[in-house]
Amino acid sequence: MQLQWRVGSMDTWEADCLIFFVVEKEAEFLPGFGKWLRDEGRWLAGCSALSDFQGKPQQTAVFYAPQDRKIPRVICAGLGPREKLDAERLRGGAAAALRQCRELKLARPALPATALDGLPLERSRSLEEALIGGMGGLYRFTALKTRDVDAESFPESLLLFSEVEPDDAFHAAASYAESLVSGISLARDLVVAPGNQVTPTFMAEIAQGLAESYGFRLRLINLQEAEKMGMGAFAAVARGSREPACIIVLEHCPPGMDEDPPIVFVGKGITFDTGGISLKPSAKMEAMKQDMAGAAAVLGAFEVLGRTRFQKRVLGIMPCTENMPDGKAYKPGDVIQSMSGLTVEVISTDAEGRMILCDAITFALQYKPAILLDLATLTGACIVALGNEAAGIMGNRDELVEELCTLGAEVGERLWPLPLWDSYFDYIKSDIADFKNVGERSAGTIVGGIFLKQFVTDETPWAHIDIAGTAWTEKDIASSPKGATGFGVRLLTEVLKRRPKLGWG
Ligand code: BES
Ligand code: ZN
Ligand code: ZN
C-alpha cells in the first residue's frame, strides 16, 4: 500500500472512505472529526448509529453516506478511554480501520491529518504511529499459497488529506513509517517462511540484496574461514548441518566515519533448531523455523537504515546455521574452544544459540563497539517468565538497560530487565572446562545471559535481548497479525535514530 498526500480544502476531498478516530466515553468528538461533521458530514452528524458507537479499543464502525457523495463512507475506529490513550492504542485503532478497509475491498481510503488533532501525542508522532500501526496491521504472507488467495490487494493506497501544505515533520513522519514498515515486513517474511527456504545461504542473499541496494559493505564468512579464525563454538554447531553455514557481516559506514566506534547489532540466525543430538520433542518443532528471528530483526533494521540513511556507523553480525543431529554434529560432553579462547563443556546441544553468539560477540569486539546489542530467540524459559508480552533484557550497564526498556515501552516493543549477578555463574561451573553451556532448569534465561557475559569486555556497553516470546504471536495483536511480529526492528532503528539524545558512552 502506497501513501499519497492530497492537499486541498475539505469540500474537494474524494476517496472511498474517510477514517476518523473516536475516544471512548467522551462527549465531544475529536476536533478534526467534529469540524468535518459540521462542515461536510451533516448527514452523519445527526445519525443515531454514530452516537451508538462506543469507541472501544480497535472497535470499528462503517457509516454510509446518501448516494452520490464524493465521500461515500466514513470508518470510525475506537481508541478506548482518554486516560489510557497512548501510541499503542492509536496503532491498534489505525490497524483496525485499515483492516476494515481491506475487508470492504476499498482501493483508496483516506486519513485526514486533522483526524489526529486532540490526541495526547504530538501531531507528527501521531501520524507516524497511526501509519506504522495501520500499515503493519495489513501485513500478510501469501508467497507460498497457490490458491484461495485474492489476486488483488486492498487498499492500493492510503490518501493523506491535508487542508494546508503538510510541514517537514509530517512528511518525515510518513516516510519514516513507510521505511520502518518495510523493514518490519522483511523481518516477518524471513521468520514466517519455512526452514527449507530460509537457509543460511538465503539469509546471505538477502544481506547481499541490501548491500547492493543501499551501498552497505558485506562480508560473508563461511564455515572453513570461521574455523580458521578460531570460531570453534560457531563451527561446532555448523558442522552438524549439510546446509552451508555463514556469518553475515553488514556494515553501514557513511563517508569519513571509518574510525568511529560503531553501534553493533548481533542477531541469532539458527534457520532451524532441531536441538541437535539433544533432540527436541517433535510436537511443535515446526515453530523452530523462527529461530533466526534475531538475525531477521537485524536485516530488517538494515533495510530501514538503507532507506533513512542515518549518519552513524552501524554493523550487523549474523551467525547463521541450522542446528541438526548428524554424524558430525557436536555432542553432549564435548569441550569446545571458542574464538575468545574460553572453553565450554557442552551439556545440551540445544543451547546452540549461545554457542554461535559467543563467537559472534568476540568477533564484534574487534570493532570496538560504542554499544553492542544482541537479539536472540535464546530460551524457552523467557516465555515461561514473561509470556509473549515482553522480551527479557540483561546487560552490563544498568543505565543502558533502563533506557532500552523506556524506549521499548514507547515504541510498542516492551522489554523487561532480569539480573545478571555474578552468583549466577555458579550455575554453569564445569569440572572439565571453563564453564558449561547450560545449568539446571532454574533461571534459564539469566543463565543464557550470564554465559554470553563471559565473552563481553567490561568497557563495552552491552545488552542481550531474549526475544523467544515476542518474535511470534499465536493471535492477532494491535498492529501485528498472527505469525511473525518483526520484533526488534523498530527497537534497533529507534536506537540509531535517538542515540545522540541518550548518554550511553
Ligand atoms: N531456540 C530455542 C529457544 C526457543 C524456544 C525459542 C521456544 C523460541 C521458542 C533454544 O535454542 C533452546 O532450545 N533453548 C533451550 C535451552 C536449554 C537447553 C538450556 C530451551 O529453551 O529449552
Ligand atoms: Zn536450541
Ligand atoms: Zn535455538
Side-chain angles (χ1 to χ4, degrees), residues 268 270 273 280 288 291 350 352-353 377-378:
K268 171 176 172 181
I270 294 290
D273 182 10
K280 285 183 181 296
M288 283 302 115
D291 213 17
D350 198 10
E352 82 299 338
T377 44
L378 205 74

